[in-house]
Amino acid sequence: TTGSGGWTLAAALLGRAPQRTRLPVPMTPLVGREAERRRVQQMLAGARLVTLVGPGGIGKTRLSLAVGAAVTGEFADGAVFVPLADATDATLVVAAIARALGVSEVPGRSLLASVADRLGDAAMLLILDNFEQVIGAAVVVSELLAAAPGVSALVTSRERLSLYGERVFQVPPLPLPDLHALPSGADAVERVLAESPAVALFADRAAAATGAFSLEPDNIEAVAALCHRLDGLPLAIELAAARTDVLGPAKLLAHLAQHLDALGDGPRDLPARQQTLRGAIDWSYVLLEEADQRLLAAMSVFAGGWTLEAAGAVAPPDLPAAELAQRLDRLAGKSLLAVDQPAVDPDTGAPAGELRYRLLETIRAYAGARLADDGAAPATRDRHRDYFAGFAGRAGDGMTGPDQAAWADRLERDYQNLRAAIDWALERDDATGAAQLCLGLWRYWLTGAHLREGRTWLDRVVEPRAGLTGPVRASVLHAAAILATSQDDHRVGYDLGAQSLALAEAAGDRAAGAQAHNAMGIASINRGDYRLAHEHFQQMLGIWQELDDARGTAMALGNLTKLSLRLGDIDAADRFATRCLSLERAAGNTRGMALALECVGQIRLARGDVPGAREALHESLALNRSLADVFGEAMALHHLGLAAYADGDRPGALTLLTSALARRFELGDREDLAVSLECVAYVIAANDPSFAVTLLGAADGLRERPPLPSPPEAYTHREDTLAATRAALDEAAFSSALSLGRTAPLELIVDEALDLTPSA
């Protein structure tokens, strides 16, 4: 603190992590693409949308990553990689981009709008991989580039996007040597490696497969012919090179050529290079042991990668568990699957996750077809569903305990698998299995991750034709009610909660009834019906206390705390908050502690205990940041700003309040953004009465579309600000400033408010 009674703001208090390059790091070097990389870099320098086009296995993804790594320094916010292999429509494309950018879904606005806002002032390269999966969603790219002039997109696809301004680079196969003019003499090996990237790639991967291999004058001709037979396709060359552990180049060429010739020309609707690649994958598959073949086929049901534990649950039941890791490593050694090493924790040096396996999309499609041909697909997908239903159940418990942040990360890593498991359960008319998955995920969805998609899944599970009944249906209705209310659909949320309550009471399920009262109370408080909210929260509290359930009791006490603060009943809020925080600390519930501490900070601030308020709010801020909860972070910063103002530190108050305002605007948090605007207006009223009134007008506009309730603090600050500004402005100036706030674009008003932050 300073001698004047103010306090110093640490840089870390306000700082957001800068945007960083987030590109996967390939396990093997890129061979022979220097000219292509330079050409694509040149194209990006003159165009904001460049599409790398070519068949599967030609190396589009690897080239895009090399370009991204080379140009990332030219973009202040780096490069971000967005995999789209598992996306199936425009909604999932937007969700994938949002996930890569760390953008959460928020009430009252589309996820596309939130992504556009995040990118609006960014200088960034977006790498969108495997866009052929969702070519109909190309308009999303167009809209984002129009909204974000500093953003460029590098797309990989088997076909062009056909958008205005798009420049297309047709990725060629690797250059091949002239079989009729192969180098000879002492420097033959060096010359062919320098002149033929296809041969260089084979030599590199063959040496990795067996340390005994090296390119020699007596095998150059066979290797060159082999690369020609594979049309210079990098993936096909890698598959062949992986077999040099058992076959020399000459035998490899004869074996592969015989197999490809036996296959004939393949499907007539496939281009020649795709026929070659398919044949190379088939050849590599045929050479596997039968057990490895079945394992590879089973792994095709995974989406977005998997762990060793998950592989054990999904692999053919007769495969000995002790052999699993060895067989997966063998498949990786044959270039049939990839292994992603976990990131390393920069502080401890320890792995920050588990080793994961994944299939390239081209190979996954082939393996999936093999699984279907064998008739094993349904049983394998059942095992996949069952494993991830259990995983979701553990995650649901984890999302209420001390390891919430870690569980959220695990769910994000396996979200593609969880989505596939729900989809399969519904396809199999297994509403109970789908419900089990959704009940494990709804708290994760509530954090803003895939919120709209979560509501869609829940709607599908509870629709009458799904056939879900009893207590499980009541629990799913409760989850659906909470998610609906989180998106400002308060009437829908209340109705879903009422349906849940009716089912719970009919079944005599007291716990499900308490959950339903929770949903109905939250919907009521957000509709401004505080009397009804109080009734539901009290009933909820009574049930949880009767059941001696500490977690439910803490939740009810937290709800009553928030309601008491809205009603201005500080004594009641204090009683509820003290009991709530004690229970949450005992349970180690990070999110619960963060929320309770934020309330404690408000209560202490209302009683004039500014140091005590700051202590609680700083702890709340740290906990919210550990959870990456920007909603909670903004709330803590906001109340820290009010504490600074109460302590006479107007510059510090403005810095904190505008930091909270920026986050709330970024999130699209309408109700709290209106409060932020009014509190900033309150702080500047004496120095800039005209802009203060403009901020009040902007808050009015937010509250009117549609009507929103407000906590008492907003009314208090509003009335004080109105009194101060009316005294300083004549009626015409006051009316003009208020009208400006209601009609001017909100982003302009927010930008001007952020400019109020005192310079360091």
Side-chain angles (χ1 to χ4, degrees), residues 73-439:
E74 300 171 21
F75 295 87
D77 295 310
V80 174
F81 182 78
V82 184
L84 297 173
D86 294 301
T88 53
D89 58 40
T91 301
L92 296 182
V93 171
V94 177
I97 297 172
R99 185 165 58 253
L101 295 172
V103 174
S104 295
E105 297 188 48
V106 294
R109 72 185 342 198
S110 71
L111 184 57
L112 180 60
S114 295
V115 171
D117 283 346
R118 172 64 61 87
L119 292 175
D121 296 323
M124 177 187 295
L125 177 66
L126 282 180
I127 301 177
L128 306 174
D129 190 44
N130 283 121
F131 211 93
E132 70 274 356
Q133 302 287 121
V134 282
I135 203 70
V139 66
V140 169
V141 179
S142 181
E143 292 177 7
L144 289 178
L145 292 179
V151 172
S152 295
L154 179 60
V155 180
T156 76
S157 177
R158 295 185 186 181
E159 58 181 295
R160 64 187 304 152
L161 273 59
S162 298
L163 295 175
Y164 178 76
E166 176 186 25
R167 295 192 64 185
V168 175
F169 180 77
Q170 191 78 39
V171 179
L174 290 172
L176 295 161
D178 185 344
L179 294 180
H180 301 293
L182 287 172
S184 59
D187 62 347
V189 171
E190 290 76 11
R191 286 174 57 194
V192 78
L193 287 173
E195 296 169 7
S196 174
V199 172
L201 177 65
F202 181 93
D204 180 84
R205 301 301 189 262
T210 171
F213 177 83
S214 62
L215 193 66
E216 304 289 349
D218 61 356
N219 64 23
I220 286 179
E221 185 175 348
V223 171
L226 185 68
C227 292
H228 268 274
R229 189 68 176 84
L230 295 173
D231 294 332
L233 288 168
L235 178 56
I237 290 171
E238 290 195 28
L239 290 171
R243 286 291 172 181
T244 54
D245 58 344
V246 292
L247 295 171
K251 289 184 177 179
L252 194 62
L253 173 61
H255 197 288
L256 178 61
Q258 182 181 16
H259 183 84
L260 294 180
D261 289 341
L263 289 177
D265 293 332
R268 295 185 180 276
D269 59 342
L270 287 180
R273 289 196 180 103
Q274 285 182 247
Q275 293 176 22
T276 298
L277 179 61
R278 181 170 175 171
I281 297 172
D282 184 77
W283 165 78
S284 191
Y285 178 86
V286 167
L287 292 179
L288 295 173
E289 293 180 11
E290 187 267 342
D292 288 344
Q293 290 179 349
R294 292 191 297 118
L295 177 61
L296 180 67
M299 296 301 96
S300 69
V301 303
F302 285 106
W306 66 91
T307 63
L308 180 62
E309 178 186 273
V314 173
D318 60 347
L319 181 68
E323 299 177 6
L324 183 61
Q326 180 183 5
R327 290 188 181 279
L328 288 169
D329 289 343
R330 196 153 58 210
L331 290 173
K334 304 304 181 190
S335 295
L336 287 165
L337 60 80
V339 182
D340 294 329
Q341 299 293 334
V344 175
D345 187 311
D347 297 323
T348 66
E354 298 178 80
L355 180 146
R356 291 179 68 85
Y357 303 90
R358 60 182 167 83
L359 288 171
L360 295 178
E361 186 57 30
T362 304
I363 294 176
R364 186 171 76 162
Y366 174 89
R370 283 287 191 169
L371 188 69
D373 290 343
D374 292 343
T380 307
R381 294 187 68 181
D382 283 346
R383 294 195 297 273
H384 178 273
R385 174 205 58 202
D386 293 344
Y387 173 79
F388 282 103
F391 175 76
R394 297 193 300 275
D397 292 335
M399 287 297 291
T400 64
D403 298 323
Q404 292 166 30
W407 272 108
D409 287 342
R410 291 175 202 168
L411 286 168
E412 186 57 51
R413 282 194 293 271
D414 267 310
Y415 190 71
Q416 307 282 16
N417 282 309
L418 291 157
R419 174 192 285 146
I422 301 172
D423 196 45
W424 175 247
L426 290 172
E427 187 177 332
R428 297 277 270 182
D429 295 323
D430 177 16
T432 301
Q436 184 180 355
L437 283 151
C438 290
L439 289 173

Side-chain angles (χ1 to χ4, degrees), residues 645 681-690 692-693 696 717-729 734:
Y645 190 74
Y682 173 63
V683 172
I684 69 170
N687 299 77
D688 192 349
S690 179
V693 175
L696 293 181
H717 295 315
R718 179 181 178 81
E719 294 304 319
D720 291 344
T721 306
L722 284 172
T725 54
R726 283 190 183 279
L729 301 171
F734 181 92

Side-chain angles (χ1 to χ4, degrees), residues 439-726:
L439 289 173
L441 287 172
W442 74 268
R443 287 184 178 86
Y444 169 67
W445 288 329
L446 190 60
T447 65
H450 317 285
L451 184 55
R452 285 176 178 80
E453 185 182 352
R455 287 192 67 187
T456 299
W457 287 124
L458 290 168
D459 287 345
R460 288 182 62 186
V461 170
V462 299
E463 66 182 10
R465 65 181 179 180
L468 193 66
T469 60
V472 177
R473 180 176 177 82
S475 294
V476 174
L477 284 165
H478 163 254
I482 297 294
L483 263 61
T485 297
S486 75
Q487 289 197 304
D488 287 347
D489 287 344
H490 306 310
R491 186 172 299 280
V492 171
Y494 191 90
D495 290 344
L496 289 168
Q499 293 177 47
S500 177
L501 181 61
L503 282 171
E505 290 181 338
D509 189 332
R510 300 285 283 158
Q515 290 180 330
H517 282 299
N518 173 58
M520 297 168 77
I522 292 172
S524 297
I525 198 173
N526 287 317
R527 290 164 65 184
D529 192 338
Y530 298 150
R531 180 197 59 78
L532 187 58
H534 185 266
E535 290 180 9
H536 284 297
F537 292 152
Q538 284 289 0
Q539 291 187 67
M540 173 190 179
L541 176 62
I543 294 172
W544 288 129
Q545 288 178 328
E546 174 190 322
L547 296 175
D548 195 25
D549 188 302
R551 180 190 296 176
T553 300
M555 188 187 306
L557 290 167
N559 287 341
L560 286 164
T561 303
K562 284 285 190 182
L563 178 59
S564 298
L565 284 169
R566 289 221 175 188
L567 294 170
D569 189 344
I570 302 303
D571 290 339
D574 192 11
R575 291 194 303 272
F576 293 134
T578 300
R579 293 167 60 195
C580 176
L581 181 57
S582 176
L583 289 169
E584 298 291 23
R585 285 197 190 280
N589 183 1
T590 306
R591 192 174 303 280
M593 284 189 286
L595 292 169
L597 284 162
E598 176 224 309
C599 293
V600 170
Q602 292 183 58
I603 292 164
R604 291 175 179 174
L605 191 57
R607 288 178 166 168
D609 179 9
V610 176
R614 285 206 299 266
E615 180 185 8
L617 292 166
H618 275 294
E619 186 179 355
S620 178
L621 179 64
L623 291 171
N624 279 306
R625 284 183 169 165
S626 76
L627 295 170
D629 185 342
V630 184
F631 287 98
E633 180 186 356
M635 189 66 75
L637 287 170
H638 175 82
H639 288 290
L640 281 167
L642 295 179
Y645 190 74
D647 218 18
D649 183 5
R650 181 179 176 277
L654 265 182
T655 302
L656 286 157
L657 289 170
T658 53
S659 294
L661 184 150
R663 285 154 175 76
R664 287 169 169 178
F665 177 69
E666 178 183 321
L667 290 167
D669 186 354
R670 274 194 320 136
E671 183 174 347
D672 286 335
L673 179 58
V675 173
S676 279
L677 291 166
E678 288 178 333
C679 287
V680 172
Y682 173 63
V683 172
I684 69 170
N687 299 77
D688 192 349
S690 179
F691 187 52
V693 175
T694 297
L695 293 175
L696 293 181
D700 288 344
L702 280 170
R703 289 209 174 92
E704 291 166 0
R705 307 190 297 268
L708 289 172
S710 295
E713 74 171 53
Y715 293 124
T716 301
H717 295 315
R718 179 181 178 81
E719 294 304 319
D720 291 344
T721 306
L722 284 172
T725 54
R726 283 190 183 279

